[in-house]
Amino acid sequence: MKLKLVSALVITMAVVQLQAQTKYIDKNGEIEFEASEELFEPVKATNTTVTAILNADTGELASLALLKGFHFENSLMEEHFNENYIESETYPKAIFRGSLLNFNHSQVSETPTEVTVDGKLKLREKEKDVRTILSVQKVSDVIIMKGSFKVTPSDFDIEIPKIVANKIAKEVIVNLAFKLQAK
Amino acid sequence: MSRNTKIISIALLLLVGFLSWVYFYTFHSKHRNIAQEEVTAEFQAPELLYAFTQQDSDITSYADQVILVSGNVTSTDENSIVLDGMVQVNLLPAAETSVQNGQSISLKGRCVGYDDLLEVVKIDQATILTE
């Protein structure tokens, strides 16, 4: 009897422990940014190997993009992005840490709901507060997250030379799409 | 044809040539063909991870280089393969694969860098050399 009680307790604790660590991970998340101006060549790049980790119990969200993983259609633009603007040799990654506000894991369903995310984006040793609304849904145990936010080059001390200033938008639109799987 | 006309037409030709070179260089430069490039370094998966996580190492030393990495497959999904839980490799879109967990393979690809959230080194545009 006692043994049964103890084992029941152990199992309950193990279950609680498991629930306390419901992590959802996407290692091939997508982030696209665009800073195009009309009439000029699109300034746009996509990274399809972004990492995103969600702690479903606390709503904490972390995401990391290696800057060399951004792919431009124009290879010269990609080179300039890495060498002159982002300086990816010195600052190899962009990292976001934040949390989903009032997030309740059990209420996520197949119907997309709007969830506010608030956190900090760190790039080139500069931090910028980011707050935006994500569309969150869960389809067959995969949490799908989509959203966008805006940043400016000056948020991260990126200088745009005068000669190309009119070809690059002042505001950069960042779109994200994550498919997080339970780990 | 007078001498002046000749000089002018040659100058014009050169100008047109130069301008088209600038145009193609700016808008149509080719992307690197990683599958065709020479490998600059070879690693076992743990060695590569170590090279990036060592405190005193220059973290960018292998980033953007074409490297060869070998290891045991610990997980696979749509287009990526994880070696020894330490290196995440994303294959070129065209690459077909039938690798399975536990298999020992070598891949060639571009090193993207170290991801300290997952604690893996990421490689993209990879091709499988041996299965």
Side-chain angles (χ1 to χ4, degrees):
Chain A
M1 185 64 198
K2 211 172 186 182
L3 193 69
K4 260 188 189 165
L5 205 71
V6 169
S7 49
L9 202 69
V10 167
I11 289 171
T12 319
M13 277 168 72
V15 169
V16 169
Q17 190 68 29
L18 270 181
Q19 278 176 345
Q21 292 180 337
T22 323
K23 272 192 178 171
Y24 282 79
I25 296 181
D26 186 359
K27 53 188 184 194
N28 289 313
E30 279 185 42
I31 289 185
E32 174 197 84
F33 71 82
E34 180 155 16
S36 305
E37 281 287 19
E38 263 181 62
L39 303 177
F40 290 103
E41 198 187 4
V43 180
K44 188 174 160 183
T46 318
N47 187 333
T48 54
T49 56
V50 177
T51 297
I53 302 179
L54 170 72
N55 182 330
D57 301 302
T58 60
E60 280 174 295
L61 180 71
S63 176
L64 183 148
L66 290 169
L67 296 163
K68 282 194 201 297
F70 280 97
H71 190 76
F72 290 72
E73 206 157 296
N74 182 325
S75 69
L76 197 66
M77 209 183 268
E78 189 169 313
E79 198 179 309
H80 289 167
F81 168 77
N82 280 300
E83 287 173 11
N84 307 340
Y85 299 106
I86 285 288
E87 298 173 276
S88 58
E89 286 283 322
T90 325
Y91 312 104
K93 67 197 173 196
I95 186 158
F96 172 85
R97 281 180 199 280
S99 47
L100 303 174
L101 305 181
N102 304 319
F103 178 72
N104 189 340
H105 179 209
S106 58
Q107 280 174 6
V108 184
S109 68
E110 286 202 12
T111 331
T113 47
E114 293 192 335
V115 178
T116 305
V117 61
D118 188 50
K120 282 182 166 32
L121 176 64
K122 192 175 174 192
L123 172 61
R124 293 167 50 88
E125 300 297 311
K126 295 274 174 281
E127 279 195 337
K128 150 100 180 159
D129 289 322
V130 172
R131 192 186 174 96
T132 186
I133 291 171
L134 299 175
S135 136
V136 181
Q137 67 187 116
K138 190 172 177 182
V139 179
S140 59
D141 225 34
V142 177
I143 296 184
I144 301 170
M145 232 177 242
K146 282 178 193 155
S148 69
F149 58 91
K150 284 179 183 165
V151 290
T152 66
S154 57
D155 288 337
F156 306 104
D157 279 0
I158 297 168
E159 274 182 51
I160 308 290
K162 278 217 174 71
I163 193 163
V164 293
N166 59 344
K167 296 177 188 165
I168 300 175
K170 304 286 168 287
E171 280 193 323
V172 182
I173 301 166
V174 184
N175 294 312
L176 62 95
F178 299 147
K179 289 187 182 120
L180 305 122
Q181 280 166 333
K183 266 283 134 76
Chain B
M1 221 194 270
S2 77
R3 208 169 149 242
N4 273 351
T5 341
K6 241 185 200 168
I7 292 172
I8 288 171
S9 34
I10 289 172
L12 271 178
L13 269 179
L14 285 176
L15 186 70
V16 168
F18 175 70
L19 287 179
S20 35
W21 177 82
V22 168
Y23 172 79
F24 280 102
Y25 176 73
T26 313
F27 297 108
H28 296 283
S29 284
K30 283 222 170 73
H31 277 281
R32 293 168 68 186
N33 186 342
I34 303 297
Q36 297 296 321
E37 279 188 36
E38 294 278 327
V39 167
T40 56
E42 295 184 16
F43 297 95
Q44 293 293 322
E47 293 172 348
L48 183 61
L49 186 69
Y50 184 68
F52 274 91
T53 48
Q54 236 180 324
Q55 280 297 311
D56 57 342
S57 77
D58 173 7
I59 53 156
T60 56
S61 50
Y62 297 108
D64 223 24
Q65 295 199 23
V66 177
I67 57 171
L68 188 147
V69 62
S70 312
N72 289 314
V73 178
T74 46
S75 83
T76 57
D77 54 39
E78 276 168 61
N79 212 25
S80 65
I81 296 172
V82 177
L83 298 179
D84 297 315
M86 297 170 187
V87 179
Q88 180 190 335
V89 185
N90 283 68
L91 300 173
L92 279 171
E96 290 255 339
T97 166
S98 55
V99 294
Q100 286 178 355
N101 287 355
Q103 211 175 324
S104 162
I105 59 170
S106 294
L107 300 118
K108 167 183 168 182
R110 182 190 70 135
C111 185
V112 189
Y114 176 62
D115 179 332
D116 53 8
L117 276 186
L118 288 179
E119 298 177 331
V120 296
V121 176
K122 289 196 172 185
I123 289 178
D124 70 0
Q125 302 171 58
T127 42
I128 296 176
L129 298 183
T130 55
E131 280 194 26

